[in-house]
Amino acid sequence: MSKSLPKIGLLGGGQLGRMLLQAAIDLDLPIACLDPDPEASCHTLTTQFTQGSFQDFDTVYHFGKQFDLISIEIEHVNIEALEQLEAEGIKVYPQPHLLRMIQDKRIQKTFFQTHGFPTADFRLIESSAEIIANEDFLPAFQKLGKGGYDGKGVQYIGSAADIAKGFDAPGLLEKAIDFDKELAVIVARNPQGEIKAFPAVEMVFHPVQNLVEFLVSPAAISPEIEKEAEDIAVRLIDQMGLVGVLAVEMFLTKDGQILINEVAPRPHNSGHQTIRANDTSQYEQHLRAITGMPLGDTKAHSFSGMLNLLGADGFTGPAKYEGLDTILGISGVHPFLYGKKITKPYRKMGHITLLGESREEIEQKAEQVKQSIRVIA
Amino acid sequence: MSKSLPKIGLLGGGQLGRMLLQAAIDLDLPIACLDPDPEASCHTLTTQFTQGSFQDFDTVYHFGKQFDLISIEIEHVNIEALEQLEAEGIKVYPQPHLLRMIQDKRIQKTFFQTHGFPTADFRLIESSAEIIANEDFLPAFQKLGKGGYDGKGVQYIGSAADIAKGFDAPGLLEKAIDFDKELAVIVARNPQGEIKAFPAVEMVFHPVQNLVEFLVSPAAISPEIEKEAEDIAVRLIDQMGLVGVLAVEMFLTKDGQILINEVAPRPHNSGHQTIRANDTSQYEQHLRAITGMPLGDTKAHSFSGMLNLLGADGFTGPAKYEGLDTILGISGVHPFLYGKKITKPYRKMGHITLLGESREEIEQKAEQVKQSIRVIA
């Protein structure tokens, strides 16, 4: 009856780990971290910080052996060590075989296809030479099977003229989608099989530059599309049997079809605003899921937005936050700084959550915030 | 223009400090703590934990000299050391002379009276012998001037027959108030003089036993009473010139009058629910205030409640949380555990926040939670 809380070890100690550790304070769940960077975002937030590679078998195995439960905040970790720990009776959530599937976009996409989940058409290829043989399939994105992360490992191949830009490694060609919106649904599942999805959020693009400008929640979509997006996420995590949170990134095509783009088996950039705008944050939800607790209510109580705070171009060195007072003076604006000492151009240094009572209010605040804050050195 | 964040030292490392440190992660404000208990709630949340007495001049002085800014999470600290630090140019918020005033209920009550703030009638007395000379003033509460805390140092003197129960020390007699509700307003002020109040909350009493059962937000009061309660809190912090948050506890009498009961110059038990139910929490607000940042929006986005989680009677030893899974299964219920290893009867071990869409929903959830959870050993 009385709950004895597990000892938890986390692979990775970056900003996602930082927010996970912050949420874990509520439940008095001390979490140890493993990260190669001795000044990783988590290092001041745990009394059990280990410096080391989460991609090295021995390091992961020996780190993991100390705990009842292992989780991750980055999926590019040593799977073999996690499988060994699992075989020795330690709980590893999300499960290693699912990390193995997600780590390779070829297997991930094939999984969607095999199990009848909607996704953009694709063809597996082994090298850049094979792009030529698939000229009929262009325009497409070439994606590396392994090692892609945070926008890396993806190349647009518009026509045969772009073939020289291609990667010469195993990957896939994915049909370029003419999409109306890019959506994300974060969904969680605990070992008992309880599943809850957060409302879909939407990436807002700059009308001219076509760059992701900021995230807004909830997405401006019909109740039918909302239901379909949540249903896809729920069916997917159920089919996978994953324990933890799963971020499902999707395209809404111009003809109203939802296609899964890709998934991340951990708290995700598209869920930062849940800390401020939902009853339960994605971080608390992940902790509830992996420890086998009932999942929390995912309801959004406000409109919200999220802007990444990137290092300004041209500045490298100890970070300074120019305009912090200005944005703190805007009602409903809450910065979250990742505690990184050194800024570099485009380095993710933090994010800013916006709360409001309408989408228009969120859009206005996003514009104000963008004009006001810079990370310089 | 660019903000350089101050080095902060905190006197006290209990649960209020714990929630303050948790909020400080957002703004990347590392906070050092001083507490006599080596296992205080904060000790795992800061890399700069100092074990020592916050009531000892030398300890406070030497601890404080390392920082740009000192704050407190308990008001029973060594004021002389804080005054010395302030004289040497270190910022101390809330200011030492205000802590001195609040530490002594005699000076605190006299301050309210002198500045025209409504408060229950009182008479200063020097010893229990003086109670007899004030028999005409009974029934009353005798309150110790100094050293009262968390319900200690208060004695009900109903009639001459109770005089033997009185304290033989300087204090005051305060007219027993026949009140309808007990309210609290948390208000904050920064050094620039910006002031913001949180909506009034209400302590709900057990209908038979007349004990505080739980807190509910917002209070069920008319807009006029709400405005008056907030106005009193705003005028009081302005009159005091206090920097930080101030919790103002008030009585609403049966004839609709508001009387100030007492104040606490720090985050307070009556503001825990702001973490989950308001745009800005009282902890973030305190950090914004003492660091000179603009104050955050205090709006409540949900109805909420807060129950203290006390150690069950008859259990002393390593704490176990019976029924934690049960309460986590109730929508909108979020526990906050203080990380205390040892439970004792009635020790504050944590609290539970309830979110809902009506007061009735909060009351129902409070009942369910009370039936379900116990801290045992």
Side-chain angles (χ1 to χ4, degrees):
Chain A
M1 276 309 201
S2 65
K3 188 85 187 169
S4 135
L5 298 171
K7 287 170 67 185
I8 304 176
L10 185 72
L11 304 188
Q15 60 259 26
L16 299 172
R18 186 174 171 94
M19 291 177 265
L20 202 61
L21 267 56
Q22 189 185 30
I25 296 168
D26 291 9
L27 294 164
D28 195 28
L29 287 170
I31 300 181
C33 288
L34 174 70
D35 197 281
D37 178 359
E39 301 219 316
S41 288
C42 285
H43 88 283
T44 55
L45 264 69
T46 172
T47 53
Q48 303 171 78
F49 182 84
T50 302
Q51 187 195 352
S53 168
F54 41 67
Q55 296 182 325
D56 176 67
F57 181 94
D58 287 341
T59 308
V60 171
Y61 178 75
H62 292 295
F63 173 77
K65 276 301 275 182
Q66 312 168 69
F67 306 104
D68 306 314
L69 173 59
I70 305 296
S71 194
I72 55 143
E73 60 109 50
I74 180 166
E75 58 271 36
H76 298 285
V77 295
N78 189 288
I79 306 287
E80 292 72 22
L82 292 180
E83 285 172 334
Q84 183 62 36
L85 290 164
E86 192 180 47
E88 293 177 18
I90 292 171
K91 286 178 186 165
V92 182
Y93 293 140
Q95 299 93 316
H97 71 279
L98 297 173
L99 293 179
R100 186 182 290 283
M101 185 259 274
I102 291 167
Q103 270 187 0
D104 189 334
K105 291 207 174 92
R106 292 155 57 97
I107 315 182
Q108 193 187 133
K109 286 282 283 188
T110 305
F111 180 92
F112 300 151
Q113 194 180 52
T114 309
H115 293 90
F117 290 97
T119 188
D121 279 350
F122 66 98
R123 293 183 186 171
L124 301 183
I125 58 172
E126 302 303 319
S127 67
S128 57
E130 289 189 26
I131 300 175
I132 302 165
N134 289 286
E135 201 179 335
D136 63 306
F137 198 68
L138 304 181
F141 286 93
Q142 187 190 8
K143 295 185 173 180
L144 281 178
K146 289 189 176 183
Y149 191 66
D150 234 2
K152 298 185 190 79
V154 177
Q155 179 61 52
Y156 180 69
I157 310 286
S159 68
D162 290 334
I163 285 173
K165 297 182 192 162
F167 304 112
D168 193 20
L172 55 89
L173 282 177
E174 184 179 284
K175 269 276 188 210
I177 299 296
D178 190 19
F179 62 86
D180 181 36
K181 287 178 191 289
E182 205 170 327
L183 307 175
V185 172
I186 290 175
V187 62
R189 181 179 173 280
N190 68 15
Q192 302 91 304
E194 185 187 7
I195 297 176
K196 281 191 181 167
F198 285 86
V201 301
E202 176 183 347
M203 317 304 153
V204 177
F205 288 78
H206 190 285
V208 178
Q209 297 168 321
N210 202 34
L211 290 173
V212 174
E213 288 269 283
F214 68 105
L215 173 152
V216 66
S217 166
I221 51 179
S222 69
E224 292 73 30
I225 297 288
E226 170 67 32
K227 184 173 184 315
E228 192 184 337
E230 286 188 27
D231 281 355
I232 288 172
V234 166
R235 282 193 290 117
L236 180 59
I237 200 169
D238 186 42
Q239 178 74 53
M240 292 170 75
L242 182 140
V243 173
V245 296
L246 181 75
V248 186
E249 296 187 81
M250 306 172 187
F251 298 116
L252 176 62
T253 67
K254 289 193 170 159
D255 56 357
Q257 201 190 353
I258 292 176
L259 300 175
I260 299 176
N261 177 16
E262 58 185 52
V263 298
R266 50 166 170 77
H268 190 256
N269 203 47
S270 62
H272 291 337
Q273 78 295 338
T274 57
I275 297 175
R276 294 283 183 173
N278 295 65
D279 271 15
T280 305
S281 75
Q282 65 166 345
Y283 302 97
E284 179 179 334
Q285 197 75 309
H286 187 68
L287 294 170
R288 287 182 181 230
I290 64 173
T291 60
M293 295 178 187
L295 301 179
D297 195 335
T298 57
K299 189 172 81 254
H301 51 68
S302 307
F303 279 82
S304 63
M306 193 281 296
L307 280 162
N308 286 307
L309 183 57
L310 307 179
D313 202 4
F315 295 92
T316 298
K320 285 182 195 167
Y321 300 89
E322 191 181 65
L324 195 57
D325 268 15
T326 308
I327 69 162
L328 282 162
I330 306 168
S331 154
V333 169
H334 298 273
F336 191 100
L337 307 180
Y338 298 159
K340 298 176 183 176
K341 289 193 180 147
I342 302 300
T343 185
K344 296 175 196 168
Y346 308 109
R347 187 176 192 196
K348 279 190 191 167
M349 299 301 288
H351 70 259
I352 296 147
T353 306
L354 318 168
L355 297 176
E357 294 180 15
S358 68
R359 183 179 173 113
E360 293 64 41
E361 195 182 322
I362 299 300
E363 286 171 349
Q364 282 163 15
K365 286 180 182 174
E367 199 52 46
Q368 270 183 285
V369 167
K370 269 188 297 180
Q371 304 293 338
S372 307
I373 192 160
R374 280 205 312 169
V375 189
I376 58 172
Chain B
M1 275 311 202
S2 65
K3 188 83 187 171
S4 135
L5 299 170
K7 287 170 65 184
I8 304 176
L10 185 71
L11 303 187
Q15 59 261 25
L16 299 172
R18 185 174 172 95
M19 290 177 266
L20 203 60
L21 266 58
Q22 189 184 29
I25 296 168
D26 292 8
L27 295 163
D28 194 28
L29 288 169
I31 300 181
C33 288
L34 174 69
D35 196 281
D37 178 359
E39 302 219 314
S41 288
C42 285
H43 88 283
T44 54
L45 264 70
T46 172
T47 52
Q48 303 173 76
F49 182 83
T50 302
Q51 187 195 354
S53 169
F54 41 66
Q55 296 182 325
D56 177 67
F57 181 96
D58 287 342
T59 308
V60 171
Y61 178 76
H62 292 295
F63 173 78
K65 276 301 275 183
Q66 311 169 70
F67 306 103
D68 306 314
L69 172 59
I70 305 295
S71 194
I72 55 146
E73 61 110 48
I74 181 166
E75 58 271 35
H76 297 285
V77 295
N78 189 287
I79 306 287
E80 292 73 23
L82 292 180
E83 286 171 334
Q84 184 61 37
L85 291 164
E86 191 180 46
E88 294 177 17
I90 292 171
K91 286 178 184 162
V92 183
Y93 294 141
Q95 299 93 318
H97 72 278
L98 296 173
L99 293 179
R100 187 181 288 285
M101 185 259 273
I102 290 166
Q103 270 187 1
D104 190 333
K105 291 207 174 92
R106 293 156 58 96
I107 314 181
Q108 191 185 133
K109 286 282 283 187
T110 305
F111 180 93
F112 301 152
Q113 194 179 52
T114 308
H115 293 90
F117 290 96
T119 187
D121 279 350
F122 67 97
R123 293 182 186 172
L124 301 182
I125 59 172
E126 301 303 319
S127 66
S128 58
E130 287 190 27
I131 299 175
I132 301 165
N134 288 287
E135 201 180 332
D136 65 306
F137 198 67
L138 304 180
F141 287 93
Q142 186 190 8
K143 295 184 173 179
L144 281 178
K146 288 189 177 183
Y149 191 66
D150 234 1
K152 297 184 190 78
V154 177
Q155 178 62 52
Y156 180 68
I157 310 286
S159 70
D162 291 334
I163 285 173
K165 296 182 194 163
F167 304 110
D168 193 18
L172 55 89
L173 283 176
E174 183 180 285
K175 271 277 189 207
I177 299 297
D178 190 19
F179 62 85
D180 181 36
K181 288 178 190 288
E182 206 170 327
L183 307 175
V185 173
I186 291 175
V187 62
R189 181 178 173 280
N190 68 16
Q192 301 91 304
E194 184 188 8
I195 297 176
K196 281 192 181 164
F198 286 86
V201 302
E202 177 184 346
M203 318 302 152
V204 177
F205 288 77
H206 190 284
V208 178
Q209 295 167 322
N210 204 34
L211 291 172
V212 174
E213 289 269 282
F214 68 105
L215 173 152
V216 68
S217 167
I221 51 178
S222 69
E224 293 73 29
I225 296 288
E226 170 67 31
K227 182 173 186 317
E228 193 185 338
E230 286 188 26
D231 280 356
I232 288 172
V234 167
R235 282 193 291 117
L236 181 59
I237 200 169
D238 186 42
Q239 179 74 54
M240 291 168 77
L242 182 139
V243 173
V245 298
L246 181 74
V248 186
E249 297 187 81
M250 307 173 187
F251 298 117
L252 176 62
T253 67
K254 290 195 170 158
D255 56 357
Q257 202 190 353
I258 292 176
L259 301 175
I260 300 177
N261 177 17
E262 58 185 52
V263 298
R266 51 169 169 78
H268 190 256
N269 203 45
S270 62
H272 292 336
Q273 77 295 338
T274 57
I275 298 175
R276 294 282 184 174
N278 296 66
D279 270 15
T280 306
S281 75
Q282 66 165 345
Y283 301 97
E284 178 177 337
Q285 198 75 309
H286 187 68
L287 294 170
R288 286 182 181 230
I290 63 174
T291 59
M293 295 177 187
L295 301 179
D297 194 334
T298 58
K299 190 173 81 254
H301 52 68
S302 307
F303 280 84
S304 63
M306 194 281 294
L307 281 162
N308 286 308
L309 183 58
L310 307 179
D313 202 4
F315 296 92
T316 298
K320 286 182 196 167
Y321 299 89
E322 192 181 65
L324 195 57
D325 268 13
T326 309
I327 69 163
L328 283 163
I330 306 168
S331 152
V333 168
H334 298 273
F336 191 100
L337 307 180
Y338 297 159
K340 298 176 183 176
K341 288 194 181 146
I342 302 298
T343 184
K344 296 175 196 167
Y346 308 109
R347 189 178 190 195
K348 279 189 192 168
M349 300 300 290
H351 70 260
I352 295 146
T353 306
L354 318 168
L355 297 176
E357 294 181 14
S358 69
R359 185 179 172 111
E360 294 64 42
E361 193 182 325
I362 300 300
E363 286 172 349
Q364 282 163 14
K365 286 180 182 174
E367 199 52 46
Q368 271 183 284
V369 168
K370 269 188 298 179
Q371 304 292 339
S372 307
I373 192 160
R374 279 204 312 169
V375 189
I376 59 172

